Amino acid sequence: MLAEAIAVNTDAPVNNSEAKIWDNAHVMRTYARQPVEFVRGEGVYLYDASGKPYLDLLAGIAVCAVGHCHPYLTCALQQQSATLLHVSNLYLTEPQARLARRLVELSDFERAFFCNSGAEANEAAIKIARKYGRGIRESKTNIVTALKSFHGRTLAAITATGQPKYSENFAPLPGGFQYVPFNDVEALKAVVNEDTCAILLEPIQGEGGIHPASMEYLRTARELADHHGSLLIFDEVQTGVGRTGKLWAYQQYGVIPDVMTLAKGLGGGVPIGACLARGAAAETFVPGDHGSTFAGNPLATTAALAVLDILADENLTENARRVGAYLTSRLGELQQKFPALIGGVRGMGLMLGVEVFQSAARKIVAGALDNGLIINATGDDTIRLVPPLTLAEADVDRAIELLEKTLASLRM
């Protein structure tokens, strides 16, 4: 029976009505589903059960960095899944050690802790900061984050997130977090002090609407952390792995944090997170301080190694810079055609936010989906574009064509 199932032709037509019924009946209602179900992906396209193609400028929310079902990544996963999936972190596995070495070689960090998501990576960073601070002084436990930030859905991560809408239903929340306006240098100076164990920032706020940090802001954060003996933590869950046109967004600013968190694009679609650290932060954890059952398993770390191979072989970081500039230019043309709907473009590389007027972002997203284009709204006034880093200029032209069609139908 199972042997026969393995041999099933996956190209056969699929009836998804049962899946919709099961989803409605049995999956907790934590997501507002879009009215489409995808059954296949290839490159920068997704396909529904009828075979309709959708140009994907969301990439699983910045996850599918090398596109859907990249042959090299698929082959690496097939080979590893036939070899070894999991043995627990009580034992050494070669893919995990190899990935740690690769990440250290490609960055300014010294050690890695692996986990399964961005929220978990930020939890690890928070725990490092708290233990580091208490090692200096018992009262050195405050963590400063930015308003409109997003750091994940676990209890500590949503408390670090400077958006009450994510945390207000889950009180009481952990204490010891302070919030300042993003890019407000004077506000940052006013709150960081000797009891600050860490400053936690996104180089570009993602869920907050694609707002890049200013050079002065991040440099000031580095100076304040150094002056007060605090750690500087960059949440690069969304900005890392080539998305901004550099391998890591901190390289855009010339500001090296003490800790950097990663996830999303690192696994190309396979769940993996990482917390990288240098200096004293890299030596803070000892056995028993932290851990995770599934973290750094051979399959996930093999996926990450394959993603890094593809990025290097296909020069995708440079592609993100070049094609991102082209996409920004083409979006500027749309702004001229639809000035009542579309405003300016923010971001770096292939992490872009488009300002939208008349609170029309979600209407544009829905209309684009009908037309075969996948985009995302981070609110009523911002469209987020975080496509696969394999996106080509021809794909941009097709996306602009579909978006123009959508905007024309919504002209107000």
Side-chain angles (χ1 to χ4, degrees):
M1 187 77 169
L2 289 177
E4 292 174 0
I6 292 173
V8 167
N9 179 6
T10 57
D11 293 328
V14 177
N15 184 336
N16 295 297
S17 59
E18 284 189 316
K20 294 176 183 177
I21 293 171
W22 298 335
D23 182 81
N24 288 334
H26 305 299
V27 176
M28 287 190 184
R29 300 182 183 278
T30 55
Y31 306 105
R33 305 281 196 199
Q34 297 297 315
V36 62
E37 184 173 349
F38 295 117
V39 300
R40 185 171 68 87
E42 182 177 357
V44 296
Y45 280 90
L46 287 168
Y47 299 84
D48 66 16
S50 71
K52 178 181 176 179
Y54 294 77
L55 179 54
D56 186 6
L57 297 195
L58 183 59
I61 313 182
V63 168
C64 302
V66 297
H68 298 284
C69 300
H70 191 289
Y72 182 81
L73 175 57
T74 299
C75 182
L77 290 171
Q78 289 172 336
Q79 292 178 356
Q80 187 59 52
S81 65
T83 304
L84 185 65
L85 289 177
H86 179 75
V87 297
S88 102
N89 282 303
L90 297 175
Y91 309 98
L92 174 69
T93 58
E94 186 269 343
Q96 184 180 131
R98 182 182 294 274
L99 178 60
R101 185 184 71 167
R102 180 81 67 85
L103 290 172
V104 166
E105 290 174 345
L106 292 172
S107 70
D108 290 275
F109 301 94
E110 298 166 7
R111 292 188 182 275
F113 170 82
F114 294 110
C115 48
N116 308 288
S117 67
E120 292 175 65
N122 284 326
E123 286 278 338
I126 289 167
K127 289 179 72 173
I128 287 172
R130 286 278 167 79
K131 185 180 179 185
Y132 167 84
R134 287 170 61 89
I136 297 172
R137 187 172 55 258
E138 281 294 312
S139 62
K140 194 176 181 65
T141 57
N142 290 339
I143 296 175
V144 175
T145 73
L147 294 171
K148 297 186 179 180
S149 61
F150 185 84
H151 299 293
R153 302 278 189 169
T154 59
L155 205 56
I158 60 168
T159 306
T161 293
Q163 300 189 64
K165 67 180 181 180
Y166 290 112
S167 59
E168 58 191 2
N169 289 327
F170 306 104
L173 301 172
F177 290 88
Q178 297 173 283
Y179 312 95
V180 293
F182 192 59
N183 275 335
D184 188 328
V185 170
E186 294 307 314
L188 190 62
K189 289 180 179 178
V191 74
V192 177
N193 57 39
E194 294 302 312
D195 286 335
T196 302
C197 66
I199 305 169
L200 169 58
L201 300 170
E202 299 163 273
I204 302 175
Q205 289 192 329
E207 300 297 325
I210 315 297
H211 293 282
S214 69
M215 189 76 73
E216 182 186 12
Y217 190 65
L218 293 191
R219 287 182 175 174
T220 299
R222 179 69 274 173
E223 292 167 1
L224 288 170
D226 290 341
H227 179 73
H228 293 288
S230 310
L231 298 180
L232 179 61
I233 304 170
F234 282 178
D235 177 342
E236 292 223 29
V237 168
Q238 196 162 153
T239 59
V241 198
R243 181 148 298 278
T244 68
K246 295 280 189 180
L247 192 55
W248 320 115
Y250 77 81
Q251 295 169 327
Q252 298 278 13
Y253 293 89
V255 176
I256 303 173
D258 302 293
V259 179
M260 176 174 71
T261 58
L262 304 171
K264 288 192 179 288
L266 183 60
V270 175
I272 186 171
C275 178
L276 307 185
R278 66 188 182 99
E283 307 300 332
T284 298
F285 281 160
V286 298
D289 277 345
H290 200 40
S292 172
T293 296
F294 298 105
N297 66 70
L299 188 71
T301 49
T302 292
L305 286 164
V307 166
L308 294 173
D309 285 344
I310 295 166
L311 256 66
D313 185 67
E314 299 184 12
N315 202 15
L316 293 185
T317 299
E318 169 59 22
N319 189 70
R321 185 201 63 77
R322 181 178 56 82
V323 177
Y326 182 67
L327 176 55
T328 299
S329 174
R330 293 301 317 272
L331 289 168
E333 296 172 16
L334 277 188
Q335 192 275 334
Q336 294 178 1
K337 291 182 180 179
F338 301 93
L341 281 174
I342 299 296
V345 181
R346 305 182 294 267
M348 296 180 188
L350 285 174
M351 183 177 179
L352 300 176
V354 183
E355 184 181 11
V356 174
F357 302 130
Q358 304 183 52
S359 299
R362 290 185 171 86
K363 290 182 180 179
I364 294 171
V365 169
L369 187 66
D370 288 341
N371 289 323
L373 177 66
I374 302 171
I375 55 179
N376 173 245
T378 61
D380 292 331
D381 59 1
T382 302
I383 290 173
R384 172 171 50 181
L385 306 176
V386 282
L389 305 186
T390 55
L391 195 75
E393 291 185 356
D395 301 319
V396 171
D397 292 337
R398 177 58 176 161
I400 295 299
E401 177 185 336
L402 294 171
L403 191 52
E404 183 172 358
K405 178 182 178 180
T406 301
L407 294 171
S409 70
L410 296 174
R411 192 186 296 271
M412 299 176 184

